[in-house]
Amino acid sequence: MKQATLLRVIIGIVLCYLQQTALAQSKWQFGVYAGGNVSKLKPGELAENPAYPFAEQYKWTPSYNLGAYTDLLISKKLYFESGVNIISKNSDAVPKLILKAERGYYNSNNVFERFNKSYFRAYNYQSTALQIPLTLHAIILQKSNFKVNIYAGVLWENILSLKLNVVNTSEWDSLPPKFLFDDEAAKQANPNYLSGYKYDENSFTRSNIGSVFGLGCSFNKIGVDLGMNNPIRNYTSVQYKNSSITFNVRYQIK
């Protein structure tokens, strides 16, 4: 028997077992949750290519997530969970040095004074996505109505909105005379620097897959979860991640 056929048979047997177990126990639960996350963009080698709008480093930046879930118990200690999740992810870039330019003039003592001006650019992203996770939960501690579980699984994501905020800043190494307070130095060194970056949303792959895992606890119908949300996204031919640490408070409706 070929391996692919054997794998299908095994999966079929497992699914039939899970279906029969679920029907026998009739254990469905569902509820809602809301919380926050902190995300950090990891652009990888994109940061090294000036043609891509990424900084070398990003900070952990807060945002929100909310959704609804449904649980299917397959035993006293195991259950599957799925649902829908709306997650917003923000990025806070450390400004990237784009250009250094020099200006100068002869002072009253006929001495040429040089002043260096540095130009920085930060590309910050904000995205909102719909996610459908599928996780397997294992209850590792249970006392009366208090439970602790660990979980891991996969997710499918579709980006609903994506925004780019370009922040340009500049600074002198030492304060020059007022008549040097202009952008002529930058224009002379790089005429295209001050032109706006043309951003194409279609260059991003909106549908992605990823992983999710974490730890949860509940008492009666109230629960809290702490986990990692890791979709893999694609910018042209290079992968980057926007991982999130998530914290949710959930309420079990049924």
Side-chain angles (χ1 to χ4, degrees):
M1 184 180 294
K2 295 182 179 180
Q3 290 184 352
T5 304
L6 178 60
L7 181 61
R8 293 192 192 99
V9 172
I10 294 173
I11 292 175
I13 294 172
V14 172
L15 290 177
C16 289
Y17 170 77
L18 294 179
Q19 182 181 17
Q20 293 298 322
T21 305
L23 290 174
Q25 296 188 33
S26 298
K27 293 294 186 179
W28 288 93
Q29 298 175 350
F30 62 89
V32 294
Y33 61 85
N37 69 75
V38 286
S39 302
K40 185 176 183 179
L41 187 68
K42 297 180 180 179
E45 64 252 47
L46 290 177
E48 302 172 4
N49 189 338
Y52 291 100
F54 290 93
E56 284 91 349
Q57 297 181 14
Y58 282 81
K59 305 174 185 177
W60 287 99
T61 311
S63 193
Y64 69 89
N65 36 264
L66 54 90
Y69 69 91
T70 181
D71 294 339
L72 172 59
L73 277 68
I74 57 177
S75 73
K76 292 182 179 181
K77 298 291 185 179
L78 292 174
Y79 61 94
F80 282 111
E81 182 171 295
S82 187
V84 291
N85 182 40
I86 301 295
I87 186 167
S88 172
K89 298 192 177 188
N90 295 327
S91 66
D92 186 7
V94 177
K96 182 178 183 179
L97 178 63
I98 301 297
L99 176 68
K100 276 192 174 183
E102 181 183 278
R103 298 300 307 278
Y105 80 110
Y106 286 93
N107 61 23
S108 58
N109 296 322
N110 202 31
V111 176
F112 190 79
E113 292 190 56
R114 290 181 172 85
F115 300 90
N116 296 314
K117 191 173 185 180
S118 299
Y119 293 82
F120 302 89
R121 179 169 288 177
Y123 292 89
N124 294 318
Y125 290 83
Q126 190 279 325
S127 66
T128 302
L130 169 69
Q131 294 181 342
I132 299 179
L134 176 60
T135 52
L136 177 64
H137 295 241
I139 298 174
I140 58 175
L141 176 64
Q142 183 172 358
K143 290 185 178 181
S144 186
N145 293 326
F146 178 76
K147 299 177 183 178
V148 178
N149 71 89
I150 55 174
Y151 62 90
V154 296
L155 63 84
W156 173 82
E157 175 187 83
N158 187 65
I159 297 177
L160 302 177
S161 67
L162 185 63
K163 296 179 182 179
L164 169 66
N165 181 30
V166 183
V167 180
N168 293 311
T169 56
S170 61
E171 63 180 24
W172 295 92
D173 57 356
S174 60
L175 196 62
K178 288 186 177 180
F179 64 84
L180 290 181
F181 274 76
D182 56 43
D183 289 311
E184 288 303 317
K187 291 179 181 178
Q188 292 172 9
N190 186 349
N192 296 322
Y193 168 74
L194 296 177
S195 60
Y197 173 78
K198 295 181 179 180
Y199 171 62
D200 182 12
E201 287 192 9
N202 294 325
S203 59
F204 277 83
T205 301
R206 291 184 174 270
S207 295
N208 312 278
I209 60 173
S211 63
V212 59
F213 58 89
L215 175 71
C217 64
S218 62
F219 181 75
N220 289 332
K221 293 188 175 184
I222 304 296
V224 294
D225 297 316
L226 179 65
M228 285 293 297
N229 187 294
N230 299 292
I232 299 174
R233 298 177 179 176
N234 180 280
Y235 187 87
T236 61
S237 61
V238 186
Q239 298 289 335
Y240 75 94
K241 289 186 177 182
N242 196 347
S243 302
S244 296
I245 300 174
T246 59
F247 176 80
N248 290 317
V249 178
R250 64 173 64 206
Y251 176 73
Q252 179 185 325
I253 298 174
K254 180 182 177 181

